[in-house]
Amino acid sequence: MEKSDHVDRLYNRMRLWEFPDQYVVEPSDGSAAPFLSISRCDGSMKLIDGVPGFNSLHAPQVMTFFGVVGIRSYLFLITEREFVGYHLGFPIFKIVSLKVFPCNNTIKDAPVEQRKLESEFSQILNEAEFTHGLFFSYDVNITLSIQRLHALGDETKLLPLWQQADPQFLWNHYMLEGLIDNKVNPYILPVVQGSFQCFQSTVHGYIINVELIARRCTRRTGTRMWRRGADCDGFVANFLETEQIIQLNGGQTATFVQVRGSIPLIWEQVVDLTYNPKFKIMKVKESHQATERHFLDLRKKYGRIFAVDLINKHGREGVLHEKYVSAMQHVIGDDVRYLHFDFHKICGDTDFGCLSILYHQIEAFLLKNRYLLLNERGEKLDQQLGVVRTNCIDCLDRTNVTQSLIARKMLESQLRRLGVFNAKETISRHPDLDTRCKILWANHGDDISIQYSGTPALKGDFVRYGQRTFKGILYDTWSSLMRYYLNNFYDGTKQDAIDLLQGYYIVSLSQIMNPPRTKKKAIETIASIRLAAALVAAGFAFAVISLKRARHDASNLVFSMMWLSVCVAVASFVRANGRVFCNRPRL
């Protein structure tokens, strides 16, 4: 696929000059272009011919950076990047370091309460510097799958990348609005949150390049316990489009797209310091409408849909299952199918080979709806007509195991069609390809999980090694504990930062001048969430150690029970007295 000759080429290296009243951005990649001046008072911007004069005794600070992520009351710059591979022949970069610069100097003269509140917002926005999984390209549109990119008209391909981008997968769409309004296209860099993995392998003399790209939807983005289900428009939490791409040294390209997303009902889990808070279904009638809107949007974008539901049929998850089945009765038709597969009941904790049962149930749909296939000249020989939509509760662990199996089967089908494999040949017969495919999907699952839950994916050892291991089970136990801590004591602030960055919460003057006052409970003066979390973590860790030693000395069972009792006691105390900690007033 040839590179588009964009009217405005993106600058890939710049210098930032920090003056007392303005920031000046100088393209330093060899481009003979105007500089961009950004006011430190209100974030307004204009093009200037060069760096203003200055006294050598008061020289401005100067730093190199690699892209402008956005400008609001703050300037967001990429200060460190990492090359992670090629997509369609063009380099892809991961944001390693993001820095936030304030553009609101007038706050210095504001009342004390206003400055205090602004300081709080500044601390929240600093969370942006730790945002995981941000990727970008100066040359190619990575918000669109290759099939959608191939379908773009010639005129559209000549537009700046931000104008070609799908807003649903453009992570910095809100932050770019000021740059777009000022028509400074060479500074407008589209950024995607998700994952980018790639490798190269050789099979029977064929050089095979494999990519895996995940694109996170921004419409209902957030953290695990703070963003669940769907909104009234049908946009769901943790929705991702995952595209697996293979290219042969001969030039042929094949791609396969899957999607995942939270159960499209209006539901939530109220964070209350319990390990697994109860599910609460809101607005049953509106939930059914949200489900219908969600699948209508999927059909418009992807064609036929096969919804695979992996949650438990009974227990806590059973309530959601019943409501989901009920809502799907109004959606199922020729273009939308639904299948429930009780992952935990059928596969248990270790027997994931039983997923072959699931694959046989969806195989006909996959073969019928195929995949995109381009010849060496970039001409379309076949296209994908539908997608599998997979969900569990979090759309992380069970979902990633399932999607990796489906992708593996489709990769084998594509390699047979391209003449690399014979009719019965499988990936497992080629150790290098087999290992790299497993690592590809394991890393992909970890990236997606870290963004939503704060920890790598559970069950990752099966994806990575093809089997469950004792070490993997222990690692999952630790990750589950970390999820508990992060969901209860950290993700609320992280969610506030996400809402600010995505424009879902905008600070008004009245809010700044009249900040809400909340009466602190007495327990806040004597209890510490961090201390409580540390006690729970330590108690759990000692319990695991004692259990491990119990194989050699049964007396360690007593110590294990003692430490588990400490965990339960501390958690129960904080839950009873300190719910205010995790359910603080949200923005």
Side-chain angles (χ1 to χ4, degrees):
M1 191 172 291
E2 296 182 358
K3 178 179 177 179
S4 301
D5 295 324
H6 302 303
V7 176
D8 298 296
R9 184 177 63 84
L10 287 169
Y11 303 140
N12 56 39
R13 183 183 292 268
M14 288 154 277
R15 276 193 289 265
L16 181 72
W17 298 73
E18 297 184 54
F19 291 92
D21 61 336
Q22 65 180 320
Y23 300 109
V24 175
V25 177
E26 172 197 359
S28 57
D29 59 354
S31 303
F35 295 7
L36 180 65
S37 170
I38 304 161
S39 170
R40 297 185 69 160
C41 292
D42 58 10
S44 60
M45 61 194 84
K46 62 182 178 180
L47 293 174
I48 59 177
D49 293 330
V51 176
F54 56 87
N55 188 318
S56 59
L57 296 177
H58 301 89
Q61 290 186 343
V62 183
M63 61 170 286
T64 297
F65 68 99
F66 304 98
V68 180
V69 173
I71 302 174
R72 279 289 171 177
S73 297
Y74 292 80
L75 172 64
F76 299 84
L77 301 181
I78 300 169
T79 54
E80 189 177 349
R81 67 188 178 186
E82 177 187 353
F83 168 74
V84 291
Y86 290 97
H87 178 59
L88 298 176
F90 304 115
I92 303 297
F93 297 93
K94 178 181 179 179
I95 297 179
V96 176
S97 178
L98 189 67
K99 192 167 183 180
V100 181
F101 297 83
C103 299
N104 53 359
N105 280 356
T106 53
I107 200 70
K108 295 178 180 178
D109 301 321
V112 175
E113 285 292 334
Q114 184 177 350
R115 280 186 277 129
K116 182 179 178 182
L117 188 59
E118 178 62 28
S119 176
E120 292 177 0
F121 283 120
S122 178
Q123 292 176 10
I124 291 173
L125 282 175
N126 284 337
E127 287 291 325
E129 297 182 359
F130 305 101
T131 303
H132 183 86
L134 299 179
F135 298 86
F136 67 92
S137 172
Y138 300 108
D139 307 293
V140 64
N141 182 358
I142 60 173
T143 69
L144 298 181
S145 66
I146 293 181
Q147 180 162 309
R148 294 181 66 196
L149 198 61
H150 191 273
L152 292 180
D154 292 337
E155 292 185 2
T156 303
K157 291 178 181 178
L158 293 175
L159 295 173
L161 289 181
W162 70 266
Q163 287 185 279
Q164 301 178 28
D166 184 342
Q168 287 192 27
F169 298 123
L170 185 58
W171 179 79
N172 57 333
H173 67 99
Y174 173 70
M175 291 181 280
L176 289 177
E177 288 180 358
L179 293 164
I180 292 171
D181 291 342
N182 282 273
K183 301 178 181 178
V184 286
N185 289 333
Y187 293 97
I188 304 176
L189 178 66
V191 175
V192 170
Q193 186 179 32
S195 178
F196 182 90
Q197 309 288 333
C198 63
F199 71 84
Q200 187 179 89
S201 186
T202 302
V203 177
H204 301 318
Y206 292 93
I207 298 175
I208 305 172
N209 293 290
V210 182
E211 298 174 37
L212 192 62
I213 303 178
R215 307 172 179 96
R216 179 177 296 281
C217 180
T218 63
R219 294 295 193 242
R220 190 166 167 74
T221 187
T223 58
R224 179 171 173 252
M225 288 295 182
W226 297 89
R227 279 290 181 274
R228 292 295 206 186
D231 61 18
C232 292
D233 295 320
F235 295 112
V236 298
N238 202 24
F239 183 86
L240 290 111
E241 173 187 279
T242 298
E243 181 181 22
Q244 181 175 269
I245 305 162
I246 62 168
Q247 289 184 300
L248 301 187
N249 54 339
Q252 303 100 315
T253 300
T255 75
F256 177 68
V257 172
Q258 301 181 72
V259 297
R260 70 174 77 186
S262 191
I263 296 172
L265 300 170
I266 301 176
W267 63 281
E268 65 178 20
Q269 279 181 286
V270 178
V271 181
D272 61 1
L273 292 178
T274 58
Y275 179 76
N276 190 7
K278 292 181 179 180
F279 302 113
K280 186 176 181 181
I281 299 174
M282 321 285 288
K283 307 174 184 177
V284 175
K285 183 178 179 181
E286 288 85 346
S287 278
H288 286 197
Q289 294 173 346
T291 304
E292 293 174 15
R293 289 168 182 162
H294 175 71
F295 280 96
L296 178 62
D297 180 66
L298 291 184
R299 286 171 57 194
K300 289 179 179 178
K301 184 174 291 185
Y302 300 106
R304 303 186 188 105
I305 309 297
F306 200 127
V308 176
D309 179 16
L310 302 173
I311 67 175
N312 301 342
K313 189 173 183 179
H314 303 290
R316 286 174 177 249
E317 296 182 7
V319 177
L320 276 177
H321 167 69
E322 291 177 5
K323 298 298 182 181
Y324 190 18
V325 171
S326 175
M328 288 301 293
Q329 300 307 312
H330 305 282
V331 177
I332 294 172
D334 294 336
D335 293 334
V336 179
R337 296 183 60 186
Y338 170 83
L339 171 68
H340 176 251
F341 183 84
D342 194 325
F343 187 102
H344 284 151
K345 180 179 180 180
I346 298 172
C347 299
D349 292 326
T350 58
D351 192 12
F352 295 165
C354 290
L355 280 173
S356 59
I357 299 171
L358 168 63
Y359 180 75
H360 291 318
Q361 291 178 284
I362 65 175
E363 184 176 16
F365 176 88
L366 294 169
L367 295 176
K368 180 179 180 181
N369 291 282
R370 303 188 295 279
Y371 43 78
L372 175 70
L373 183 63
L374 305 176
N375 64 17
E376 59 278 359
R377 294 183 296 276
E379 298 168 340
K380 185 167 63 178
L381 303 180
D382 209 342
Q383 65 179 334
Q384 188 170 344
L385 303 174
V387 298
V388 175
R389 181 202 188 277
T390 308
N391 75 265
C392 49
I393 292 296
D394 297 329
C395 303
L396 296 176
D397 314 315
R398 288 173 280 183
T399 296
N400 201 61
V401 171
T402 302
Q403 285 197 335
S404 67
L405 170 72
I406 296 172
R408 185 181 179 91
K409 293 292 187 180
M410 293 307 294
L411 178 57
E412 290 174 342
S413 176
Q414 292 168 338
L415 291 174
R416 293 186 190 109
R417 184 169 178 180
L418 291 169
V420 179
F421 281 2
N422 62 38
K424 295 184 179 180
E425 199 166 359
T426 62
I427 292 174
S428 59
R429 291 179 56 181
H430 303 274
D432 181 69
L433 180 63
D434 183 31
T435 300
R436 289 176 180 271
C437 280
K438 289 173 180 175
I439 293 174
L440 184 88
W441 271 92
N443 291 342
H444 166 272
D446 286 345
D447 281 345
I448 300 309
S449 181
I450 289 170
Q451 292 159 30
Y452 191 52
S453 73
T455 75
L458 308 185
K459 304 177 178 66
D461 52 338
F462 177 80
V463 179
R464 195 177 298 273
Y465 306 116
Q467 61 183 1
R468 292 243 64 184
T469 63
F470 180 70
K471 181 179 179 181
I473 293 172
L474 284 180
Y475 190 74
D476 284 359
T477 303
W478 176 252
S479 293
S480 297
L481 179 62
M482 286 304 300
R483 285 185 182 182
Y484 170 81
Y485 169 74
L486 293 171
N487 296 161
N488 282 280
F489 309 127
Y490 175 74
D491 284 350
T493 301
K494 185 177 177 181
Q495 186 65 56
D496 287 340
I498 292 171
D499 289 342
L500 282 170
L501 293 172
Q502 297 298 326
Y504 297 131
Y505 178 78
I506 300 173
V507 184
S508 68
L509 181 61
S510 61
Q511 286 174 300
I512 292 178
M513 297 306 295
N514 300 289
R517 297 178 180 272
T518 56
K519 185 177 180 180
K520 293 185 177 182
K521 293 188 177 183
I523 190 67
E524 288 185 79
T525 63
I526 60 172
S528 166
I529 279 302
R530 296 187 185 278
L531 176 60
L535 288 172
V536 171
F540 191 85
F542 284 127
V544 171
I545 293 171
S546 298
L547 275 175
K548 190 175 181 180
R549 292 179 176 176
R551 291 181 297 176
H552 309 291
D553 183 357
S555 64
N556 280 283
L557 282 173
V558 177
F559 292 104
S560 177
M561 295 303 296
M562 179 189 74
W563 286 116
L564 287 174
S565 297
V566 170
C567 294
V568 173
V570 172
S572 298
F573 173 78
V574 179
R575 184 191 178 198
N577 298 288
R579 184 171 295 189
V580 66
F581 295 144
C582 56
N583 288 337
R584 60 183 177 74
R586 293 298 316 287
L587 295 182

